[in-house]
Amino acid sequence: MDAQGRGRGENIDPADQWVLNPNTGEYELRLSPSAPQSPIPAPRGPRNTGAGNPRARSASPDQAPERPGRASPERETPGRDVPPQRRRRGAPEEPPGRRGRKPAKGKKAKKVLLWTSGTVAFLVLATGVGGYLYLEHLNDNITSVSDDGASTGGFKKDQAINILLIGTDKRTGAGNEGYGDKGSEGHADTTILLHVSKDRSNATALSIPRDLIVDIPDCPTQQEDGSEKVIPGSIGARFNTSLGQSGRTPSCTMRTVTELTGIKPDNFMVADFNAVKTLTSAVGGVEVCLGKDINDPDSHLNLPKGTHRIEGEQALAFVRTRHSVGLGGDLSRIELQQQFLSSLMRELKSNDTLTSPSKMIKLAEAGTEALTVDSQLNSINKLKDLGMELGKLNVKNLTFTTIPVVDNPAEKIKATVVLDESKAPEVFDLIRNDVSFTEVKQQQKKEKAAVAARLKGEKAPASEVRVRVLNGGAPAGSAQSTLSWLQVDQGVSKSENGGNAPAELAKTTLEYAPDQADQARRLAEILGLSGSAMKPGESVTNSQGLPAMTLTLGKDFKGAGVSLTPPDKAPDDIKKSTADKVVCAE
């Protein structure tokens, strides 16, 4: 049923393992034809994890055998639905008057859609959500690796989400002997930073070229014995060496992305070659389009021009091919992979998948076996929660783009790329500031207009602006340098240094009382603050006992006099595509 086999019966459809127990009215999982009916199986005992062992199993808190207040396996779990099953021969009819377990068709489709929300996380985050059908059984499938403190500590439901998706070229599993570098520990061969907006209305999938020259920082890394080892960094290295080489784990790739983009990922997910094969087979294949005949002996892809449904080995060949598309390099292969992921997303979101218990169970099994996740995301419940957030997206508002790069000018024979400094910083700013790469909905436009309205109206003279300046995450000395600039260069004489803020902020904010709005508009104009940085609230008392506003310099502060107004849309010259569009590879 999956690449690893796991000893499961190859001829048993997973959907047929759910049977109705006439005594309880519950659908229950039968793991073998001879096994007695039983509730969802309890997870196997926890195993030791280790950062250096990518197949170490996670011991999740969700796996505790019994906890106070937790329903036992025999009790009904509210909200759990299972695949509908025909009545077994000889089994009695369901007692009259008992509430049926099978919801109405429309309601069921909606619930299944919620279960499979993670489809937008590309390589089977959806299957973690589909695994909600039998959570405890799938918990033991999950492999986790320490995040080594490189993440934010995990995604939060009320904030924007940044997930680092890593595809490795490590040779694992049966049938993969001919792929990847022989003897390699695995590289960060395909890497995507998935940013999901705070309001869940849009997302951006930013591909990071494997041959991009970057600085890899020192990486504190947990070892198998629990000790910590600092893996030395590298200056001017290929991005793909941030994983696997010199003992580097996915947390090091996470640190490298933070160093490169200024965006700290919340979580990471790692998939190998088996993920592409097993997942595409689980959904019955995905459709791709070729604008020309392709016969690539390196990837083993041989397909004529036109539309094809591919799965398994053929799907893997498709995402690996590069010599026969575009300019024959990694950047062309990235575009091919983005087309493939868009198609996979559409397939996972389709009714054929969402309403098929058989497909959902196969996806759950394949997905939890194929992925390695960070230690903050090491249970089905956590995957389900993340999937529920990601599932609010519409594929038409999911944009694929690639970090803008240029050929490495230091090379005569072009093999690597470097950042396009004229474009890449703006792309990073857009993501950091949660700006959509697609056209926003009308409601979003109204909300943005309401925020922008805070800047409109009368402005008080600079000499009347009273403000306390606090440092809330900006470089040391920023409050004093800003104060001096305000007083000497801008005429804001009634300003003072308030020291350090109680807590660090990601973004600079200006809090003011309603009767200080004219002062706030003047200060925002001077500082180059956007309407979103203005926070109507309460005033504070300054050193003279007079009401004053509070300016807190956040981590985004770039220096006195440097505008903090973020871009409000993606530039027109950034190459991008959305997941709802079919693109034919040339």
Side-chain angles (χ1 to χ4, degrees):
M1 182 156 54
D2 54 31
Q4 289 80 9
R6 293 289 176 189
R8 300 183 182 92
E10 296 295 333
N11 298 320
I12 299 176
D13 189 322
D16 291 335
Q17 293 177 297
W18 291 90
V19 296
L20 178 67
N21 185 332
N23 296 322
T24 64
E26 296 279 0
Y27 281 98
E28 298 168 349
L29 182 65
R30 177 183 295 232
L31 294 179
S32 68
S34 60
Q37 293 185 23
S38 62
I40 296 172
R44 293 187 286 273
R47 306 179 188 179
N48 293 331
T49 61
N53 180 8
R55 300 306 302 170
R57 299 294 173 185
S58 63
S60 164
D62 299 297
Q63 292 175 284
E66 291 186 10
R67 281 187 278 179
R70 179 168 180 169
S72 66
E74 290 78 19
R75 296 175 188 164
E76 178 179 337
T77 303
R80 173 175 292 161
D81 288 283
V82 293
Q85 185 77 18
R86 290 176 298 180
R87 183 168 57 88
R88 296 171 61 238
R89 181 176 298 176
E93 297 277 358
E94 186 172 351
R98 184 180 179 89
R99 291 188 65 179
R101 296 285 171 182
K102 181 177 178 181
K105 184 175 181 181
K107 292 182 179 179
K108 177 179 178 179
K110 183 176 180 181
K111 286 188 177 182
V112 176
L113 177 61
L114 291 176
W115 289 337
T116 57
S117 304
T119 52
V120 294
F122 315 123
L123 300 175
V124 288
L125 184 50
T127 64
V129 180
Y132 190 62
L133 294 171
Y134 54 133
L135 302 181
E136 301 302 333
H137 171 63
L138 294 179
N139 259 321
D140 196 49
N141 284 354
I142 298 174
T143 298
S144 70
V145 177
S146 175
D147 70 345
D148 296 313
S151 74
T152 62
F155 78 95
K156 296 177 178 59
K157 294 183 179 180
D158 59 347
Q159 296 182 15
I161 297 174
N162 293 293
I163 306 294
L164 189 63
L165 306 168
I166 307 170
T168 74
D169 58 0
K170 185 175 182 179
R171 295 184 180 184
T172 57
N176 294 326
E177 295 81 5
Y179 303 129
D181 295 334
K182 186 175 182 179
S184 170
E185 297 179 31
H187 304 80
D189 197 52
T190 299
T191 306
I192 295 174
L193 178 63
L194 173 65
H195 172 83
V196 184
S197 67
K198 182 178 180 179
D199 64 5
R200 310 296 186 248
S201 66
N202 64 87
T204 302
L206 181 68
S207 292
I208 304 175
R210 68 176 188 178
D211 296 325
L212 176 63
I213 297 300
V214 298
D215 292 340
I216 299 175
D218 292 345
C219 298
T221 306
Q222 182 180 322
Q223 305 300 295
E224 289 188 47
D225 61 3
S227 64
E228 182 180 281
K229 178 181 178 181
V230 177
I231 310 298
S234 300
I235 304 299
R238 290 192 186 211
F239 177 83
N240 67 345
T241 62
S242 65
L243 175 64
Q245 312 309 298
S246 304
R248 292 173 179 143
T249 66
S251 68
C252 193
T253 305
M254 185 178 273
R255 293 185 194 276
T256 304
V257 169
T258 302
E259 184 89 3
L260 173 67
T261 66
I263 302 164
K264 193 171 187 176
D266 301 305
N267 300 97
F268 65 70
M269 294 183 176
V270 183
D272 59 20
F273 290 139
N274 289 314
V276 176
K277 295 194 292 186
T278 59
L279 296 175
T280 53
S281 295
V283 297
V286 298
E287 284 194 356
V288 295
C289 181
L290 296 179
K292 64 178 182 179
D293 297 345
I294 290 184
N295 187 0
D296 186 349
D298 292 321
S299 69
H300 311 299
L301 181 67
N302 187 359
L303 287 174
K305 176 181 177 180
T307 301
H308 306 273
R309 179 166 286 271
I310 59 175
E311 63 176 279
E313 291 286 348
Q314 199 172 47
L316 179 58
F318 184 86
V319 298
R320 291 187 66 248
T321 196
R322 60 189 175 110
H323 299 303
S324 301
V325 293
L327 299 176
D330 186 53
L331 295 180
S332 297
R333 186 181 68 152
I334 285 175
E335 293 182 10
L336 202 68
Q337 291 171 343
Q338 290 174 346
Q339 181 206 147
F340 172 83
L341 292 172
S342 294
S343 181
L344 177 59
M345 230 107 11
R346 293 193 298 271
E347 190 67 37
L348 288 167
K349 283 281 193 177
S350 71
N351 286 334
D352 287 345
T353 299
L354 295 174
T355 59
S356 169
S358 176
K359 284 186 178 180
M360 291 309 304
I361 294 174
K362 288 177 181 178
L363 277 168
E365 294 286 350
T368 51
E369 288 287 353
L371 287 177
T372 296
V373 299
D374 69 89
S375 49
Q376 308 294 335
L377 199 61
N378 62 352
S379 75
I380 289 295
N381 276 333
K382 293 176 183 178
L383 284 170
K384 181 262 297 180
D385 288 343
L386 176 57
M388 295 293 280
E389 295 301 309
L390 300 178
K392 298 172 184 177
L393 283 168
N394 188 313
V395 291
K396 71 179 181 179
N397 292 324
L398 170 58
T399 303
F400 289 92
T401 189
T402 304
I403 291 180
V405 296
V406 295
D407 288 334
N408 190 344
E411 297 175 336
K412 290 183 179 180
I413 299 177
K414 304 303 180 184
T416 62
V417 293
V418 296
L419 283 185
D420 183 341
E421 296 292 349
S422 67
K423 297 179 180 179
E426 185 173 6
V427 170
F428 300 153
D429 277 346
L430 287 166
I431 295 176
R432 279 196 299 267
N433 289 287
D434 205 21
V435 178
S436 175
F437 278 61
T438 58
E439 185 67 27
V440 296
K441 296 179 181 179
Q442 190 63 33
Q443 180 61 30
Q444 291 175 288
K445 289 181 179 180
K446 291 180 180 179
E447 292 171 357
K448 286 193 173 186
V451 170
R454 297 172 187 169
L455 297 170
K456 298 177 181 179
E458 294 184 4
K459 301 180 180 69
S463 59
E464 294 182 8
V465 173
R466 288 191 298 271
V467 62
R468 299 182 76 237
V469 183
L470 280 66
N471 191 328
S478 293
Q480 185 57 45
S481 63
T482 300
L483 179 65
S484 298
W485 175 76
L486 286 173
Q487 292 179 339
V488 176
D489 298 334
Q490 302 300 319
V492 185
S493 56
K494 297 177 181 178
S495 53
E496 63 182 38
N497 190 338
N500 291 327
E504 292 189 352
L505 300 179
K507 296 182 179 181
T508 297
T509 62
L510 174 62
E511 183 175 1
Y512 58 96
D515 61 352
Q516 297 171 317
D518 58 341
Q519 296 182 46
R521 286 190 283 267
R522 174 62 68 191
L523 190 58
E525 180 184 60
I526 293 172
L527 294 168
L529 294 178
S530 65
S532 61
M534 300 175 67
K535 305 295 182 185
E538 299 179 352
S539 64
V540 295
T541 302
N542 65 11
S543 57
Q544 276 108 34
L546 298 173
M549 300 181 295
T550 301
L551 173 66
T552 305
L553 306 178
K555 295 179 181 179
D556 63 337
F557 182 74
K558 301 174 182 177
V562 180
S563 176
L564 287 173
T565 300
D568 59 0
K569 69 175 184 176
D572 295 332
D573 57 352
I574 294 295
K575 191 172 183 179
K576 57 185 184 292
S577 63
T578 53
D580 63 322
K581 299 292 192 300
V582 177
V583 180
C584 295
E586 295 285 350

Short mmCIF file of all heavy atoms in Angstrom, two decimals, residues 446-487:
data_model
loop_
_atom_site.label_atom_id
_atom_site.label_comp_id
_atom_site.label_asym_id
_atom_site.label_seq_id
_atom_site.Cartn_x
_atom_site.Cartn_y
_atom_site.Cartn_z
N LYS A 446 -11.80 46.46 1.31
CA LYS A 446 -12.49 47.34 2.26
C LYS A 446 -11.69 47.46 3.56
O LYS A 446 -11.56 48.54 4.13
CB LYS A 446 -13.89 46.80 2.55
CG LYS A 446 -14.86 46.90 1.38
CD LYS A 446 -16.22 46.34 1.75
CE LYS A 446 -17.18 46.44 0.57
NZ LYS A 446 -18.53 45.87 0.91
N GLU A 447 -11.14 46.32 4.01
CA GLU A 447 -10.36 46.34 5.24
C GLU A 447 -9.10 47.18 5.07
O GLU A 447 -8.70 47.94 5.95
CB GLU A 447 -10.01 44.92 5.65
CG GLU A 447 -11.22 44.10 6.10
CD GLU A 447 -10.90 42.63 6.30
OE1 GLU A 447 -9.74 42.25 6.04
OE2 GLU A 447 -11.79 41.88 6.73
N LYS A 448 -8.44 47.02 3.92
CA LYS A 448 -7.24 47.81 3.66
C LYS A 448 -7.57 49.30 3.58
O LYS A 448 -6.81 50.15 4.04
CB LYS A 448 -6.57 47.35 2.36
CG LYS A 448 -5.86 46.01 2.49
CD LYS A 448 -4.98 45.76 1.28
CE LYS A 448 -4.14 44.52 1.49
NZ LYS A 448 -3.16 44.32 0.39
N ALA A 449 -8.72 49.59 2.97
CA ALA A 449 -9.13 51.00 2.86
C ALA A 449 -9.38 51.59 4.25
O ALA A 449 -9.05 52.75 4.52
CB ALA A 449 -10.38 51.10 2.00
N ALA A 450 -9.97 50.77 5.14
CA ALA A 450 -10.24 51.25 6.50
C ALA A 450 -8.94 51.54 7.25
O ALA A 450 -8.83 52.53 7.99
CB ALA A 450 -11.06 50.22 7.26
N VAL A 451 -7.93 50.70 7.04
CA VAL A 451 -6.63 50.92 7.68
C VAL A 451 -5.96 52.16 7.10
O VAL A 451 -5.40 53.00 7.83
CB VAL A 451 -5.73 49.68 7.50
CG1 VAL A 451 -4.31 49.98 7.94
CG2 VAL A 451 -6.28 48.51 8.31
N ALA A 452 -6.03 52.29 5.77
CA ALA A 452 -5.40 53.44 5.12
C ALA A 452 -6.07 54.75 5.55
O ALA A 452 -5.42 55.81 5.57
CB ALA A 452 -5.48 53.28 3.60
N ALA A 453 -7.35 54.69 5.93
CA ALA A 453 -8.08 55.90 6.33
C ALA A 453 -7.51 56.52 7.59
O ALA A 453 -7.73 57.71 7.86
CB ALA A 453 -9.56 55.56 6.52
N ARG A 454 -6.77 55.74 8.38
CA ARG A 454 -6.16 56.29 9.59
C ARG A 454 -5.15 57.38 9.27
O ARG A 454 -4.84 58.23 10.12
CB ARG A 454 -5.47 55.18 10.39
CG ARG A 454 -6.42 54.11 10.89
CD ARG A 454 -5.66 52.95 11.50
NE ARG A 454 -6.55 51.84 11.84
CZ ARG A 454 -6.14 50.63 12.19
NH1 ARG A 454 -4.84 50.37 12.27
NH2 ARG A 454 -7.01 49.68 12.46
N LEU A 455 -4.64 57.37 8.05
CA LEU A 455 -3.64 58.37 7.66
C LEU A 455 -4.27 59.64 7.10
O LEU A 455 -3.58 60.64 6.88
CB LEU A 455 -2.70 57.78 6.59
CG LEU A 455 -1.86 56.57 7.03
CD1 LEU A 455 -1.17 55.95 5.83
CD2 LEU A 455 -0.84 56.98 8.08
N LYS A 456 -5.60 59.58 6.89
CA LYS A 456 -6.26 60.72 6.26
C LYS A 456 -6.89 61.63 7.30
O LYS A 456 -7.50 61.17 8.26
CB LYS A 456 -7.34 60.22 5.28
CG LYS A 456 -6.76 59.40 4.14
CD LYS A 456 -7.86 58.86 3.23
CE LYS A 456 -7.27 58.02 2.10
NZ LYS A 456 -8.33 57.47 1.22
N GLY A 457 -6.76 62.93 7.10
CA GLY A 457 -7.32 63.90 8.03
C GLY A 457 -6.29 64.96 8.40
O GLY A 457 -5.16 65.00 7.88
N GLU A 458 -6.68 65.84 9.29
CA GLU A 458 -5.79 66.92 9.70
C GLU A 458 -4.56 66.37 10.43
O GLU A 458 -4.63 65.36 11.12
CB GLU A 458 -6.53 67.90 10.61
CG GLU A 458 -7.65 68.65 9.90
CD GLU A 458 -8.29 69.68 10.81
OE1 GLU A 458 -7.80 69.85 11.96
OE2 GLU A 458 -9.28 70.31 10.40
N LYS A 459 -3.46 67.08 10.28
CA LYS A 459 -2.19 66.71 10.93
C LYS A 459 -1.74 67.86 11.83
O LYS A 459 -1.70 69.02 11.40
CB LYS A 459 -1.12 66.39 9.89
CG LYS A 459 -1.47 65.26 8.94
CD LYS A 459 -0.34 65.03 7.95
CE LYS A 459 -0.67 63.89 7.00
NZ LYS A 459 -1.75 64.22 6.06
N ALA A 460 -1.42 67.54 13.05
CA ALA A 460 -0.93 68.55 14.00
C ALA A 460 0.47 69.00 13.60
O ALA A 460 1.21 68.24 12.96
CB ALA A 460 -0.91 67.96 15.41
N PRO A 461 0.86 70.20 13.97
CA PRO A 461 2.24 70.64 13.73
C PRO A 461 3.22 69.73 14.47
O PRO A 461 2.90 69.19 15.53
CB PRO A 461 2.27 72.07 14.30
CG PRO A 461 0.84 72.50 14.32
CD PRO A 461 0.03 71.25 14.58
N ALA A 462 4.40 69.55 13.92
CA ALA A 462 5.40 68.68 14.54
C ALA A 462 5.72 69.12 15.96
O ALA A 462 5.99 68.28 16.83
CB ALA A 462 6.66 68.65 13.68
N SER A 463 5.68 70.42 16.19
CA SER A 463 6.03 70.95 17.52
C SER A 463 5.01 70.57 18.59
O SER A 463 5.29 70.67 19.79
CB SER A 463 6.15 72.48 17.45
OG SER A 463 4.92 73.05 17.02
N GLU A 464 3.81 70.11 18.18
CA GLU A 464 2.78 69.74 19.14
C GLU A 464 2.70 68.23 19.38
O GLU A 464 1.89 67.77 20.19
CB GLU A 464 1.41 70.25 18.65
CG GLU A 464 1.30 71.77 18.60
CD GLU A 464 -0.07 72.23 18.15
OE1 GLU A 464 -0.97 71.35 18.02
OE2 GLU A 464 -0.26 73.44 17.93
N VAL A 465 3.52 67.49 18.67
CA VAL A 465 3.50 66.02 18.78
C VAL A 465 4.24 65.59 20.04
O VAL A 465 5.42 65.87 20.22
CB VAL A 465 4.13 65.36 17.54
CG1 VAL A 465 4.25 63.85 17.75
CG2 VAL A 465 3.31 65.68 16.29
N ARG A 466 3.53 64.92 20.95
CA ARG A 466 4.15 64.39 22.16
C ARG A 466 4.21 62.87 22.04
O ARG A 466 3.17 62.20 21.89
CB ARG A 466 3.36 64.78 23.40
CG ARG A 466 3.48 66.25 23.79
CD ARG A 466 2.89 66.52 25.18
NE ARG A 466 1.47 66.20 25.23
CZ ARG A 466 0.51 67.07 24.94
NH1 ARG A 466 0.83 68.31 24.59
NH2 ARG A 466 -0.76 66.72 25.03
N VAL A 467 5.41 62.33 22.15
CA VAL A 467 5.58 60.89 21.96
C VAL A 467 6.74 60.35 22.79
O VAL A 467 7.75 61.03 22.97
CB VAL A 467 5.81 60.55 20.46
CG1 VAL A 467 7.09 61.22 19.93
CG2 VAL A 467 5.86 59.04 20.23
N ARG A 468 6.55 59.15 23.34
CA ARG A 468 7.62 58.42 24.01
C ARG A 468 8.10 57.32 23.06
O ARG A 468 7.31 56.58 22.51
CB ARG A 468 7.14 57.80 25.32
CG ARG A 468 6.66 58.83 26.34
CD ARG A 468 6.23 58.15 27.64
NE ARG A 468 7.39 57.73 28.43
CZ ARG A 468 7.63 56.49 28.84
NH1 ARG A 468 6.80 55.51 28.49
NH2 ARG A 468 8.69 56.20 29.56
N VAL A 469 9.43 57.24 22.87
CA VAL A 469 10.01 56.28 21.94
C VAL A 469 10.60 55.12 22.73
O VAL A 469 11.46 55.30 23.59
CB VAL A 469 11.12 56.94 21.08
CG1 VAL A 469 11.66 55.94 20.07
CG2 VAL A 469 10.57 58.18 20.37
N LEU A 470 10.14 53.89 22.42
CA LEU A 470 10.61 52.68 23.09
C LEU A 470 11.29 51.75 22.09
O LEU A 470 10.93 51.73 20.90
CB LEU A 470 9.46 51.92 23.75
CG LEU A 470 8.94 52.42 25.11
CD1 LEU A 470 8.30 53.80 24.98
CD2 LEU A 470 7.91 51.42 25.67
N ASN A 471 12.26 51.00 22.56
CA ASN A 471 12.90 49.99 21.72
C ASN A 471 12.26 48.64 21.99
O ASN A 471 12.37 48.09 23.08
CB ASN A 471 14.41 49.92 22.01
CG ASN A 471 15.15 49.07 20.98
OD1 ASN A 471 14.61 48.12 20.44
ND2 ASN A 471 16.39 49.45 20.70
N GLY A 472 11.58 48.11 20.96
CA GLY A 472 10.88 46.83 21.12
C GLY A 472 11.40 45.75 20.20
O GLY A 472 10.61 44.98 19.65
N GLY A 473 12.72 45.70 20.03
CA GLY A 473 13.31 44.67 19.16
C GLY A 473 14.23 45.23 18.11
O GLY A 473 14.88 44.46 17.38
N ALA A 474 14.32 46.55 18.00
CA ALA A 474 15.23 47.18 17.04
C ALA A 474 16.67 47.08 17.58
O ALA A 474 16.88 46.78 18.76
CB ALA A 474 14.83 48.63 16.83
N PRO A 475 17.68 47.32 16.75
CA PRO A 475 19.07 47.29 17.22
C PRO A 475 19.28 48.22 18.41
O PRO A 475 18.59 49.24 18.55
CB PRO A 475 19.87 47.74 15.99
CG PRO A 475 19.01 47.36 14.82
CD PRO A 475 17.60 47.56 15.29
N ALA A 476 20.22 47.87 19.26
CA ALA A 476 20.50 48.69 20.44
C ALA A 476 20.82 50.12 20.04
O ALA A 476 21.53 50.37 19.07
CB ALA A 476 21.68 48.07 21.21
N GLY A 477 20.29 51.07 20.79
CA GLY A 477 20.53 52.48 20.52
C GLY A 477 19.55 53.10 19.55
O GLY A 477 19.62 54.31 19.28
N SER A 478 18.62 52.32 19.03
CA SER A 478 17.69 52.84 18.02
C SER A 478 16.75 53.90 18.59
O SER A 478 16.41 54.88 17.92
CB SER A 478 16.87 51.70 17.42
OG SER A 478 17.68 50.83 16.67
N ALA A 479 16.30 53.69 19.84
CA ALA A 479 15.37 54.67 20.44
C ALA A 479 16.05 56.03 20.57
O ALA A 479 15.44 57.07 20.25
CB ALA A 479 14.90 54.17 21.80
N GLN A 480 17.30 56.05 21.01
CA GLN A 480 18.00 57.32 21.20
C GLN A 480 18.32 57.99 19.87
O GLN A 480 18.15 59.20 19.72
CB GLN A 480 19.30 57.11 21.99
CG GLN A 480 20.04 58.39 22.33
CD GLN A 480 19.17 59.37 23.13
OE1 GLN A 480 18.49 58.99 24.07
NE2 GLN A 480 19.20 60.64 22.75
N SER A 481 18.74 57.20 18.88
CA SER A 481 19.05 57.79 17.57
C SER A 481 17.79 58.34 16.91
O SER A 481 17.84 59.39 16.25
CB SER A 481 19.72 56.75 16.66
OG SER A 481 18.85 55.66 16.39
N THR A 482 16.67 57.64 17.08
CA THR A 482 15.41 58.12 16.52
C THR A 482 14.96 59.39 17.23
O THR A 482 14.47 60.35 16.60
CB THR A 482 14.31 57.04 16.63
OG1 THR A 482 14.74 55.88 15.92
CG2 THR A 482 12.99 57.53 16.08
N LEU A 483 15.12 59.42 18.56
CA LEU A 483 14.76 60.60 19.33
C LEU A 483 15.54 61.83 18.87
O LEU A 483 14.99 62.91 18.66
CB LEU A 483 15.00 60.34 20.82
CG LEU A 483 14.68 61.50 21.77
CD1 LEU A 483 13.19 61.80 21.76
CD2 LEU A 483 15.15 61.17 23.18
N SER A 484 16.85 61.65 18.70
CA SER A 484 17.70 62.77 18.26
C SER A 484 17.28 63.25 16.88
O SER A 484 17.20 64.47 16.62
CB SER A 484 19.17 62.34 18.23
OG SER A 484 19.60 61.97 19.52
N TRP A 485 16.98 62.31 15.99
CA TRP A 485 16.57 62.68 14.63
C TRP A 485 15.24 63.43 14.65
O TRP A 485 15.07 64.42 13.93
CB TRP A 485 16.47 61.41 13.80
CG TRP A 485 15.95 61.61 12.42
CD1 TRP A 485 16.62 62.13 11.35
CD2 TRP A 485 14.63 61.29 11.94
NE1 TRP A 485 15.81 62.15 10.23
CE2 TRP A 485 14.59 61.63 10.58
CE3 TRP A 485 13.50 60.72 12.53
CZ2 TRP A 485 13.45 61.45 9.79
CZ3 TRP A 485 12.37 60.53 11.77
CH2 TRP A 485 12.34 60.90 10.42
N LEU A 486 14.29 62.96 15.48
CA LEU A 486 13.00 63.63 15.58
C LEU A 486 13.14 65.06 16.10
O LEU A 486 12.53 65.99 15.57
CB LEU A 486 12.06 62.84 16.49
CG LEU A 486 11.47 61.54 15.94
CD1 LEU A 486 10.71 60.80 17.03
CD2 LEU A 486 10.56 61.80 14.74
N GLN A 487 13.96 65.22 17.14
CA GLN A 487 14.08 66.54 17.76
C GLN A 487 14.88 67.51 16.91
O GLN A 487 14.49 68.68 16.73
CB GLN A 487 14.74 66.38 19.14
CG GLN A 487 13.87 65.67 20.15
CD GLN A 487 14.55 65.50 21.50
OE1 GLN A 487 15.78 65.55 21.60
NE2 GLN A 487 13.76 65.26 22.54
#
